Amino acid sequence: LRPWIVFSPHLARRLDERQVEAALEHERAHARHRDPLRMWLAQLAADLQWPWPQARERLRRWLLALELARDEEARAAGVEGSDLADALLASARFGQQPNLSLQVALAGEPTALKERIGRLLEPLPADGESRPAIARGVLSAVVPILSISLVVGVIFAE
């Protein structure tokens, strides 16, 4: 319920100060949103749907989207994308060492890692560019709810 960040001192020695700060800001974003709890609950929900492979795929895509969102949140807080990309690559290399009990949880597939690195190296979108996407997201959630409410109101109204 109160997430905390564990950062390997062995990994920290491989990174410079900016890269450590970038990785910590990314992890702070996870903690602010209580992502460890959300990830655990999502994993539980996917495990309860074990006969259906679509649940595992949805979980994988959601985890990638979550990582991308936290990357962008760290960048919006002032972290350089290249520093976060370097920290991410160093974490991936660090996680390949044998006999590590705790490894950095990266987004699994090499294509996901490439996508994250590519997005981190792109310039941040201007404020005006992100608003239409947010508006579309809110609109896509509100319109179905209002439509259902209207239908239920027409059917059950006196």
Side-chain angles (χ1 to χ4, degrees):
L1 297 176
R2 286 189 228 146
W4 48 287
I5 299 168
V6 177
F7 202 92
S8 167
H10 301 292
L11 177 60
R13 281 195 290 269
R14 294 175 180 224
L15 305 174
D16 65 27
E17 189 175 319
R18 292 177 318 175
Q19 293 167 342
V20 169
E21 185 55 38
L24 284 174
E25 186 57 40
H26 172 91
E27 296 305 323
R28 285 184 199 115
H30 278 299
R32 276 192 299 276
H33 293 277
R34 301 200 189 296
D35 286 344
L37 177 61
R38 294 171 62 206
M39 292 163 80
W40 182 80
L41 291 172
Q43 180 69 54
L44 179 64
D47 289 346
L48 290 173
Q49 300 174 49
W50 63 268
W52 296 283
Q54 301 89 349
R56 179 84 37 211
E57 178 60 23
R58 274 193 311 273
L59 176 65
R60 186 192 65 74
R61 284 183 291 161
W62 180 75
L63 289 173
L64 176 59
L66 192 66
E67 289 301 319
L68 294 173
R70 298 309 167 244
D71 289 346
E72 293 305 312
E73 191 171 332
R75 291 178 66 198
V79 169
E80 287 292 324
S82 59
D83 292 335
L84 189 52
D86 289 340
L88 182 62
L89 288 173
S91 297
R93 286 187 206 107
F94 181 73
Q96 291 176 347
Q97 294 179 358
N99 300 325
L100 286 178
S101 59
L102 295 174
Q103 295 184 4
V104 178
L106 300 174
E109 300 175 5
T111 56
L113 184 60
K114 287 179 185 177
E115 181 180 351
R116 283 184 72 187
I117 297 298
R119 287 179 62 125
L120 287 169
L121 296 178
E122 291 175 358
L124 272 175
D127 284 341
E129 294 177 31
S130 63
R131 288 187 184 150
I134 292 171
R136 281 192 304 272
V138 169
L139 203 57
S140 67
V142 170
V143 169
I145 292 171
L146 288 176
S147 301
I148 291 170
S149 299
L150 180 66
V151 169
V152 169
V154 167
I155 292 172
F156 295 104
E158 293 181 2

